[in-house]
Each structure stands twice: as C-alpha cells, then as structure tokens.
Amino acid sequence: MPFFTNAEKPIGIASDHAGYELKQFLIGIFEEKGIPYEDFGAYSTESSDYADYAHPLATAVESGACYPGITICGTGNGISMTVNKHQGIRAALCWNKELAYLARAHNDANILSLPGRYLNQEEAYEILVTFLNTPFEGGRHERRIGKIPCG
Ligand code: RB5
C-alpha cells in the first residue's frame, strides 16, 4: 500500500512518556518521506501526563491547523479519552489495520490513537498507512457521525 503523499496540512502527533518511542519512530518515517508534521510532545521518556500534550493537539486538529492527528500513550485509552472531549474530534483507538480501515471508512476518524506498549513498529506502520490511505465512505455514516457531538 502506498504511503500518504498528498498531505495538505501537517500531521499532528502527541504522546506521553509511554508512547514516546513509538512517536519518535513514526516521526522518523515522516522525515524520511518528507511528510509535514507537528510534534506536540512529549519530548522524552520521563514520566508525564498525556492530557498536557493531547489537548493542544486536539485544538490544532479542530481548528484545521493539523490533519489528521495521531495520539499515543501506553494503552491508547487515556490520550484518546482526552482528545475525544473536544466536540470536533473523532479519535479511534486502533490496534490492527482492520480497525484503522473502519475508523476512517465508517467514522471519518480525524485522530488515530495507538497503544504504544502493545504494538511493535511493523504493526504500527501498517495501521498508520491504512488509516492515512482510507477515505470516508459517507452515505449513512455521514448521518451517524453527525449525531456524535453532544453540545
Ligand atoms: C502511563 O503509565 C499509562 O497509564 C498511560 O500511558 C496510558 O496507558 C493511560 O491511559
């Protein structure tokens, strides 16, 4: 599957300490392929709180400054819970490529959330490429995602 090459906006990426190493691996891919990105932290494996990095990333995706977003913590749960507090965010926790495909095709997910402690680099790469290359199907799913915001 070809890598995403027509990025119009920087990909936003954020993690905590538990997702830091996978974040750096993905950033290495972006740099190698010349894909624009914005790194919202964390900036080391020193213990940190995922919400401190997740909220600024979610704000950037909501405003259109970045698209899409990627969030990574140990399980992917805490950081996806945080970004999903933003009304314009549809973050999907994905641990295989089928989930990544459906998150885009059915949910028009604008943030991919990864469990850094439970994926190897090869798995994460496959999930990322699937997420970036899958279009939203629209149709009945458009109506459904329209009902997600609660405000
Ligand atoms: C950090 O130890 C861990 O709790 C965090 O990365 C994440 O998994 C929380 O949801």
Side-chain angles (χ1 to χ4, degrees):
M1 182 179 271
F3 203 88
F4 186 73
T5 52
N6 61 342
E8 289 172 7
K9 294 179 179 177
I11 294 174
I13 188 164
S15 75
D16 67 357
H17 58 288
Y20 174 78
E21 286 181 3
L22 183 56
K23 175 170 71 68
Q24 297 311 111
F25 169 70
L26 297 181
I27 284 175
I29 292 168
F30 299 152
E31 294 199 337
E32 182 190 304
K33 297 186 182 291
I35 292 170
Y37 68 92
E38 186 170 346
D39 182 3
F40 289 82
Y43 302 107
S44 77
T45 54
E46 187 181 336
S47 183
S48 60
D49 301 335
Y50 46 78
D52 294 339
Y53 313 107
H55 284 303
L57 166 68
T59 299
V61 173
E62 271 191 311
S63 74
C66 290
Y67 179 84
I70 300 171
T71 52
I72 314 167
C73 66
T75 60
N77 276 324
I79 203 160
S80 61
M81 288 176 187
T82 307
V83 292
N84 272 323
K85 291 292 180 188
H86 293 243
Q87 290 297 302
I89 296 302
R90 289 180 300 281
L93 175 57
C94 300
W95 58 91
N96 64 38
K97 66 178 180 181
E98 289 78 19
L99 293 172
Y101 175 84
L102 291 167
R104 287 289 313 127
H106 288 190
N107 310 118
D108 197 17
N110 51 14
I111 293 184
L112 168 65
S113 197
L114 297 170
R117 286 181 171 150
Y118 299 93
L119 292 176
N120 62 38
Q121 293 181 345
E122 190 182 336
E123 291 166 332
Y125 181 84
E126 189 174 55
I127 293 167
L128 173 68
V129 172
T130 301
F131 188 86
L132 295 177
N133 282 283
T134 304
F136 179 45
E137 281 178 14
R140 67 190 187 282
H141 301 297
E142 186 84 57
R143 183 183 71 246
R144 291 169 184 165
I145 67 168
K147 294 180 179 180
I148 293 176
C150 60

